Amino acid sequence: MEAVRQGSHTSAGGREVVGYTCDHCAHTWSRPVETDVEVYDIVRADLPDATLYGTVWQVQTDRIQVRGSGGAWLRWVERWRVVVY
């Protein structure tokens, strides 16, 4: 079972990272912001109101356009919210 948590964009050691905190024990961890995202990669986008899964359609420096299955939706998201699968 996977519980997707909302992270926060920050930096550590000169790198952009997404920081997380466990609601139960206050343990913290981080992951680097994805830098090698390419068109047609399969991704998860962790948004405040939803978790979206789709295909990368366009890539810009600070944001990525994600397309839903079958073209059901197309949405720009901040790069730090994206996890490549």
Side-chain angles (χ1 to χ4, degrees):
M1 176 184 287
E2 177 184 3
V4 177
R5 300 187 187 288
Q6 290 300 309
S8 58
H9 186 221
T10 188
S11 63
R15 295 185 66 191
E16 286 187 274
V17 298
V18 180
Y20 299 91
T21 302
C22 176
D23 295 337
H24 299 290
C25 69
H27 174 76
T28 61
W29 69 97
S30 64
R31 67 168 176 83
V33 172
E34 302 281 356
T35 58
D36 60 346
V37 180
E38 297 181 9
V39 173
Y40 303 126
D41 280 349
I42 304 301
V43 297
R44 181 183 84 210
D46 296 334
L47 306 176
D49 56 337
T51 299
L52 304 177
Y53 295 86
T55 304
V56 173
W57 217 239
Q58 291 186 58
V59 178
Q60 294 183 354
T61 303
D62 61 342
R63 65 185 191 154
I64 294 171
Q65 191 175 47
V66 180
R67 180 178 185 257
S69 180
W73 48 265
L74 194 61
R75 183 165 178 180
W76 285 101
V77 297
E78 297 163 296
R79 179 183 286 269
W80 68 270
R81 295 185 179 277
V82 172
V83 177
V84 176
Y85 269 65

